[in-house]
Every structure is written in C-alpha cells, then in structure tokens.
Amino acid sequence: IYIYTMKPQNKTTQVSTKTIREAFEQFDEGNKGFLSRHELKCAILATTGILFKQNQIEPIINSFSKNNITFENFSKIIEELTKNLQQDVINREIFRSFDIRGSGYISRSDAYQVFKEVMPLVNPKTIDEVFDELDFSRTDHVSGTDFLNMLRSREM
C-alpha cells in the first residue's frame, strides 16, 4: 500500500529534479533501480499531484518503455506530462475567453462576438466552418471537452 506523502507541485511549473528523484526512490520498492507500471503511476501521482486518466498517460509511458521505467525515463515522462499540463492551462484560458457567459460551453453567438472584438476581419463563413467542425453534437454549442480535445489533437 502506497501512502501519498509528497506535496503536489504547482501544475504550471516544471517539477524539480530533487522532487523527481525523491518520488522515484520512494516508489522503487526494493531499491531495484526501476519502477513497475504500478509504481510508476503512484510516483507520477506523488510528483504531479494529479491522477491522470489511462488514455492520458499510457501513450507517454509506452513511448519510453513497455515494462520497467528507469530514473532517466521517469524524469522524461514527468517532463512530458508537465509540458502537457502547461499547455492544458493555456488551452483552458483560450476556452474561457470564448465562453463569455461562463456557461461551460461556447455558443455560435459567443464565437461571433469574440471574433468581432479580436479579429473583426475574419469572414463569418470561416467562423461557421470552424464552429461546425467543433460542434460534434450539432447543438450550436461547443463543450469545453470538445474544444480542448480539438486543441490537443492539433498539438500532436
């Protein structure tokens, strides 16, 4: 049984090497020099303070190793996750700037209003095309999840 004992880091800053080393050593059961997948997930939680969903973390883990994770790879995984967190913070701010009523979604009229203020020369037809691409459910609303997923897919 693992006990969460480390302070979570600020989600918008890089994690210190010391913190990464401490987490690696804390969860390297038996001091074998590597982390199992279970130990790795616990160490990531202790280092970042975030419980990632399987689909968020597995591709990153798999890009480094299928089985045991060395300290060097653990450091790289934390660096990658932290970079992704920083971009998510930026993407959420972008969403909030379009969600002008604070409703948790962007309406078509919100999109028109924001573009009118920020980029008045953008053709309304272009706004409609982008909005339609994001409005998966065809409700004239773009959810935060759909908006963030679109931005993430464009970052890859």
Side-chain angles (χ1 to χ4, degrees):
I1 296 177
Y2 295 108
I3 300 172
Y4 180 81
T5 58
M6 303 180 77
K7 284 186 173 179
Q9 297 296 306
N10 179 329
K11 294 173 189 151
T12 62
T13 61
Q14 294 291 62
V15 179
S16 74
T17 304
K18 180 182 178 211
T19 301
I20 294 170
R21 171 68 66 191
E22 288 172 354
F24 184 87
E25 290 173 356
Q26 179 181 358
F27 291 98
D28 176 13
E29 194 169 296
N31 297 318
K32 56 197 174 305
F34 60 85
L35 299 175
S36 68
R37 288 183 85 74
H38 175 72
E39 292 168 341
L40 172 64
K41 291 174 184 178
C42 293
I44 289 170
L45 173 61
T47 305
T48 65
I50 298 170
L51 182 60
F52 289 91
K53 292 180 181 176
Q54 194 79 5
N55 66 345
Q56 293 173 302
I57 199 168
E58 285 299 324
I60 294 170
I61 293 171
N62 290 337
S63 71
F64 289 97
S65 175
K66 296 280 184 207
N67 297 310
N68 301 321
I69 303 294
T70 63
F71 174 74
E72 181 181 340
N73 284 343
F74 177 61
S75 296
K76 290 176 184 175
I77 289 168
I78 295 299
E79 181 181 326
E80 186 68 24
L81 289 171
T82 304
K83 182 178 77 174
N84 292 346
L85 287 174
Q86 292 170 341
Q87 190 59 53
D88 274 357
V89 169
I90 293 167
N91 291 347
R92 282 180 187 16
E93 287 303 313
I94 294 169
F95 176 80
R96 283 188 198 101
S97 68
F98 277 90
D99 180 16
I100 54 181
R101 289 174 283 118
S103 60
Y105 61 85
I106 302 168
S107 70
R108 191 175 297 269
S109 64
D110 291 342
Y112 284 133
Q113 186 173 342
V114 170
F115 275 101
K116 182 179 177 184
E117 292 173 19
V118 178
M119 299 177 72
L121 300 179
V122 172
N123 185 328
K125 183 178 177 186
T126 303
I127 297 169
D128 283 332
E129 288 172 3
V130 171
F131 193 89
D132 289 341
E133 183 181 335
L134 293 172
D135 184 14
F136 299 114
S137 58
R138 303 293 176 239
T139 59
D140 256 7
H141 295 97
V142 175
S143 72
T145 301
D146 289 343
F147 184 84
L148 295 172
N149 286 339
M150 182 277 303
L151 289 177
R152 285 182 194 120
S153 71
R154 306 255 168 154
E155 293 165 4
M156 295 178 172

